[in-house]
Amino acid sequence: MARYQKKPVVVDAVQWFKPGDHPAVVTESPGDTFGYIDTPEGRLRVEPGDWVITGVAGENYPVKPDIFKKLYITAD
């Protein structure tokens, strides 16, 4: 078995707090404090404080803040 390392990839990310913070996040009814993102794997819930990542193919994913902190650093 061979071992592989994932290539470094720069992604765009926005921390989401409320409806309107990111166009990929939709809510089901007015006043919802959470939203959803339709991903290639299905619909995923987004909570206030989650990060919304835009992948290399333009797809969006929610990432919990503690996981985001472990996986990403500022690329600037």
Side-chain angles (χ1 to χ4, degrees):
M1 176 188 311
R3 292 177 47 138
Y4 293 88
Q5 181 174 334
K6 189 184 278 189
K7 293 178 183 179
V9 176
V10 176
V11 298
D12 290 326
V14 174
Q15 198 164 21
W16 188 87
F17 291 101
K18 64 185 181 337
D21 283 351
H22 194 284
V25 180
V26 296
T27 56
E28 291 185 343
S29 36
D32 280 350
T33 58
F34 58 90
Y36 296 96
I37 293 178
D38 291 317
T39 74
E41 289 81 27
R43 182 169 266 203
L44 299 176
R45 186 173 169 132
V46 182
E47 301 280 344
D50 288 353
W51 287 85
V52 177
I53 302 295
T54 302
V56 295
E59 75 284 16
N60 293 288
Y61 295 96
V63 178
K64 294 293 180 196
D66 58 330
I67 302 299
F68 184 86
K69 185 176 179 181
K70 289 178 185 178
L71 295 177
Y72 295 95
I73 59 172
T74 304
D76 295 330

